[in-house]
Amino acid sequence: MSTSTSTMDHEKPEVVSPRVYEYLSEATRSPVSPDIEYPRSPSLDEPGNVDERKDPKGESVWRVLGERHINMIAFSGTIGNGLFLGCGTSLAVAGAGGSVLSYVLMGTVISSIISSLCEMTALMPVNAPVMEFPRRFLDRGVGFAVGWMYWFAYAVLAADELVAVSNTIKFRYDDGRTYLNWSTGNNVDNAVWISLFLVIVIVINMFPVRVFGELEYIFGCIKITFIVMLIMLMLILGIMKPRADAYYTQTIGSRYWDSPYSFFNPTYHVKDEDGNLQRDIKGTLGTFLAMWTTIVHAIFAYVGMDIIASTAAESKSLADAESMKMGARKINIRIITLYALAMLTVSFVVPRDHPFINGKAQSVGAKSPFIIAVVEAGIPSAAHFFNAIFVLSSFTCAINSMYVASRVLHTLALQDQTGPEFITRRLRACRSGVPIRAVLVTAAMMLIGYMGRTGTPGERLSELASNCTVTFLIVYTAVCATYLSFFKTLEDVKLYGNASESQAAMYDRDHPRYPYKSHGQWLKAAYGMVACLILLIFNGVAAFLEDPFDTRRFIASYIGIPVFILLILGYKIRRHGFRFHQWGPERSNDLRNTIQASSETRKGKLEFPDNGFTKDNGRIFVNWIWVWLK
């Protein structure tokens, strides 16, 4: 990174009016990836492309991931213990209807966040958009804090997934009628499993990113196939005639949605950290607390969908506006639909008062309602297969989380935001496009996972999940606030009238070749921001209900907030000292490196060239199906 470029982009004084750059004939280098050039004149007929340079040793990652790799990395990074191991808690707390409603509601929130992030990324394909856009449109201090919080969140999430692996592999199921046990898993200390899988995760993250992408594509395909199979199996178990060795003799149907059960759970159980019942809160307040707790729990299951934008640095389709648009829409549709259907179908075959999802299970795996469903349907051998997939799922999520965290740290180093030069220089270094030292530093942070080897099964896992949740809520709040500022900047460009005709077309959201427009997106961003703020403020309400006050849960639920504030203050003090009058917003509002769709015929839109059934129509239809599936 040249000194002049760094000074121009990262250290310039406060500019809060929109800066619209006139496009010159020469190219400009990205301030985040100095060896990548963006044309300064992306014409309306053809968007600028990004050069691919593969230096074995350098400071840049390689742009080799295709659209299918990115889609599956994001999908695989989202599907983890939040769904498979956590939905039982949601079902027990909120009831059948309440749990499904919670997943759908949180699906709308996360969809609003991802749409906001990906619209900005589609228009301005920059590296590390989660931290770059807040830096441009909110404040440089906020961008700095978001970057470090984002790295911390994914590093802790990777540790959380390793704890989930170590807990899930210690599988034991004993309800007095069926006994299942993984003796090897139970006889080996958790620390051994954490160490083993940590080494494997590090090794896989050292692979060239093209190999990594192919592995993640395979993992993603396995997961999506398994979830579809799981949904179909739960549906069949609910309507089929029971097997001879099933726990029940009549078809389940809607039994667990009918009386004496109900749509919502009318009682909220206050439990201490050991799972012992302290008291019950009934009535309307009990229903509200049950729903609120489940909503907070459900948002954690959706963490990871933002990976679709975080892979931009290694995407060879970065300058393809259609790639980001399709990726965002596919991840939203796939995850939210599959989560809602999985929660809905399992709620018909497992009651909310089952003892294993209410704290009586002998292992974390036994808490999964999917395992309970197949055991009580008389298919105990399937429980072993399910638990093995749960181990694989958490393991691959740990791989993805380390991948994202290491790339975020590498980008922070490229922005000179990782401390002394001798540290920054090493964190920038890449071998075969992989930031080796950033991977190792992230692995060091993941050692926090060894805290998870103590406590009751799932207790430390829950604390790590709470910590991850609050950190991601801070990041998502910043993303939505950034979009609102970005939207205002686009409107101000029209007001100031300082853009050329070609530029005005670039920034016009109503232009047919604007990369990605979601209708009512500013309203969605406001909805996402308000929802995340409310969740952030009240996510730790359970700590106040316990007697005595649960200090550990409170700290896990709120520690991210003061850390975020301290990071902003630290940036301001380092930049301006205690001259408080200079602590105002430092943002550029610049709109650089914008691109447009290469054609008004948009990818993913089905348009038949002929009338009736023709060969061309058939080819177009098959291609349309493939675009949405890959």
Side-chain angles (χ1 to χ4, degrees):
M1 181 186 302
S2 66
T3 304
S4 60
T5 301
S6 177
T7 302
M8 175 190 71
D9 190 53
H10 297 286
E11 303 299 332
K12 56 188 169 186
E14 175 184 356
V15 181
V16 294
S17 60
R19 291 177 64 85
V20 181
Y21 289 78
E22 288 296 333
Y23 293 107
L24 307 175
S25 59
E26 68 272 12
T28 181
R29 293 187 180 274
S30 164
V32 178
S33 294
D35 64 333
I36 299 299
E37 293 184 350
Y38 292 94
R40 283 304 281 264
S41 55
S43 68
L44 294 180
D45 297 320
E46 183 177 357
N49 293 319
V50 179
D51 292 339
E52 294 183 14
R53 301 184 180 183
K54 299 180 180 179
D55 298 325
K57 292 184 180 181
E59 294 185 353
S60 295
V61 294
W62 290 357
R63 296 184 181 278
V64 295
L65 293 178
E67 183 180 340
R68 65 183 179 91
H69 299 117
I70 292 171
N71 290 337
M72 279 304 178
I73 288 174
F75 181 85
S76 180
T78 306
I79 304 296
N81 66 73
L83 173 65
F84 296 136
L85 304 180
C87 65
T89 301
S90 300
L91 179 60
V93 174
S99 58
V100 176
L101 183 60
S102 297
Y103 274 84
V104 172
L105 285 175
M106 289 301 96
T108 63
V109 173
I110 198 69
S111 175
S112 300
I113 297 165
I114 300 305
S115 296
S116 300
L117 176 62
C118 289
E119 178 178 330
M120 294 185 289
T121 308
L123 180 65
M124 296 174 289
V126 299
N127 293 355
V130 170
M131 69 179 81
E132 173 66 12
F133 290 134
R135 188 192 65 80
R136 288 192 186 190
F137 297 104
L138 289 182
D139 180 79
R140 281 178 171 72
V142 173
F144 169 81
V146 166
W148 278 106
M149 294 291 286
Y150 199 52
W151 171 77
F152 176 79
Y154 269 107
V156 173
L157 180 60
D160 174 74
E161 296 293 352
L162 288 181
V163 175
V165 170
S166 69
N167 284 340
T168 308
I169 210 168
K170 301 174 82 68
F171 180 55
R172 184 169 176 265
Y173 189 104
D174 185 7
D175 61 1
R177 182 170 173 176
T178 301
Y179 180 75
L180 307 172
N181 183 50
W182 286 12
S183 57
T184 302
N186 283 296
N187 293 335
V188 177
D189 190 271
N190 282 38
V192 176
W193 294 118
I194 292 174
S195 302
L196 174 63
F197 283 98
L198 177 59
V199 171
I200 298 174
V201 167
I202 294 173
V203 170
I204 292 178
N205 271 275
M206 296 291 188
F207 289 167
V209 73
R210 184 56 186 261
V211 177
F212 176 87
E214 293 296 344
L215 284 175
E216 286 301 317
Y217 186 77
I218 295 172
F219 293 148
C221 289
I222 292 173
K223 286 185 178 183
I224 198 169
T225 303
F226 175 73
I227 294 178
V228 172
M229 180 208 72
L230 200 64
I231 292 170
M232 295 177 63
L233 179 59
M234 294 300 110
L235 179 62
I236 292 171
L237 293 181
I239 62 177
M240 70 177 287
K241 182 180 178 180
R243 292 164 52 93
D245 50 355
Y247 284 30
Y248 41 88
T249 57
Q250 295 181 343
T251 302
I252 297 176
S254 60
R255 180 190 312 172
Y256 300 134
W257 283 64
D258 300 333
S259 181
Y261 299 97
S262 58
F263 191 89
F264 296 108
N265 186 354
T267 304
Y268 178 74
H269 306 291
V270 179
K271 299 180 180 180
D272 61 21
E273 64 175 15
D274 295 321
N276 300 315
L277 181 65
Q278 292 187 338
R279 59 193 173 100
D280 289 334
I281 301 176
K282 298 184 178 181
T284 304
L285 179 59
T287 300
F288 173 78
L289 289 173
M291 274 296 295
W292 179 255
T293 304
T294 306
I295 284 173
V296 173
H297 184 81
I299 194 67
F300 175 72
Y302 287 108
V303 164
M305 289 175 63
D306 50 275
I307 294 176
I308 191 70
S310 300
T311 54
E314 288 160 291
S315 169
K316 62 184 178 183
S317 304
L318 183 65
D320 180 6
E322 299 289 297
S323 176
M324 185 55 62
K325 180 197 76 172
M326 291 302 298
R329 289 181 173 172
K330 282 189 279 190
I331 194 69
N332 282 336
I333 293 172
R334 287 174 180 174
I335 295 293
I336 297 171
T337 302
L338 291 176
Y339 271 31
L341 288 177
M343 191 70 250
L344 176 64
T345 52
V346 80
S347 69
F348 278 96
V349 293
V350 177
R352 71 162 190 258
D353 59 354
H354 193 286
F356 278 17
I357 61 175
N358 283 276
K360 303 299 182 181
Q362 298 86 11
S363 65
V364 170
K367 292 180 178 180
S368 172
F370 301 106
I371 286 181
I372 295 171
V374 293
V375 169
E376 297 195 350
I379 322 173
S381 56
H384 292 290
F385 172 67
F386 282 13
N387 198 67
I389 294 293
F390 297 166
V391 172
L392 174 67
S393 180
S394 296
F395 167 63
T396 55
C397 278
I399 295 173
N400 283 329
S401 298
M402 172 181 266
Y403 163 80
V404 176
S406 63
R407 270 46 176 190
V408 170
L409 187 59
H410 176 250
T411 303
L412 285 168
L414 289 175
Q415 293 181 340
D416 294 323
Q417 294 181 349
T418 51
E421 175 60 24
F422 75 93
I423 294 177
T424 298
R425 185 176 65 253
R426 286 166 172 77
L427 290 176
R428 289 177 190 160
C430 295
R431 283 183 176 271
S432 299
V434 179
I436 300 294
R437 291 181 177 86
V439 170
L440 294 176
V441 171
T442 300
M445 184 65 193
M446 288 170 60
L447 296 178
I448 193 175
Y450 285 103
M451 293 172 53
R453 64 181 294 273
T454 62
T456 58
E459 178 188 338
R460 300 296 177 255
L461 190 62
S462 176
E463 291 173 354
L464 285 174
S466 296
N467 187 273
C468 288
T469 299
V470 68
T471 306
F472 276 104
L473 285 173
I474 293 172
V475 172
Y476 292 159
T477 300
V479 167
C480 292
T482 298
Y483 180 85
L484 293 175
S485 180
F486 160 79
F487 186 86
K488 182 178 183 299
T489 301
L490 292 183
E491 295 298 313
D492 287 346
V493 167
K494 300 177 184 177
L495 180 64
Y496 284 109
N498 61 342
S500 64
E501 183 177 350
S502 62
Q503 286 179 315
M506 289 276 189
Y507 310 139
D508 184 4
R509 297 183 78 248
D510 295 323
H511 194 280
R513 286 166 59 185
Y514 186 81
Y516 176 28
K517 175 185 176 181
S518 179
H519 296 288
Q521 185 56 50
W522 71 270
L523 190 59
K524 294 178 184 177
Y527 165 66
M529 183 178 70
V530 172
C532 287
L533 280 174
I534 294 174
L535 287 167
L536 183 62
I537 294 170
F538 297 106
N539 84 94
V541 67
F544 295 90
L545 299 176
E546 293 183 27
D547 186 20
F549 177 76
D550 192 339
T551 306
R552 289 183 65 102
R553 178 179 291 188
F554 176 81
I555 293 175
S557 299
Y558 291 106
I559 187 63
I561 298 176
V563 170
F564 181 69
I565 295 173
L566 287 174
L567 284 171
I568 296 176
L569 292 177
Y571 179 87
K572 294 295 185 182
I573 292 173
R574 181 176 180 273
R575 289 271 292 144
H576 305 295
F578 291 95
R579 296 183 293 274
F580 299 115
H581 64 282
Q582 297 182 3
W583 281 25
E586 298 175 83
R587 56 178 180 264
S588 60
N589 284 337
D590 53 41
L591 298 167
R592 65 176 66 186
N593 301 326
T594 54
I595 62 174
Q596 281 189 320
S598 57
S599 171
E600 292 186 12
T601 302
R602 308 303 294 274
K603 186 187 294 186
K605 186 176 181 180
L606 184 61
E607 294 181 346
F608 292 116
D610 306 318
N611 294 323
F613 296 97
T614 66
K615 183 177 180 180
D616 286 341
N617 283 354
R619 179 178 55 81
I620 292 294
F621 181 73
V622 171
N623 182 67
W624 178 76
I625 293 292
W626 172 242
V627 164
W628 282 100
L629 287 179
K630 71 176 182 178

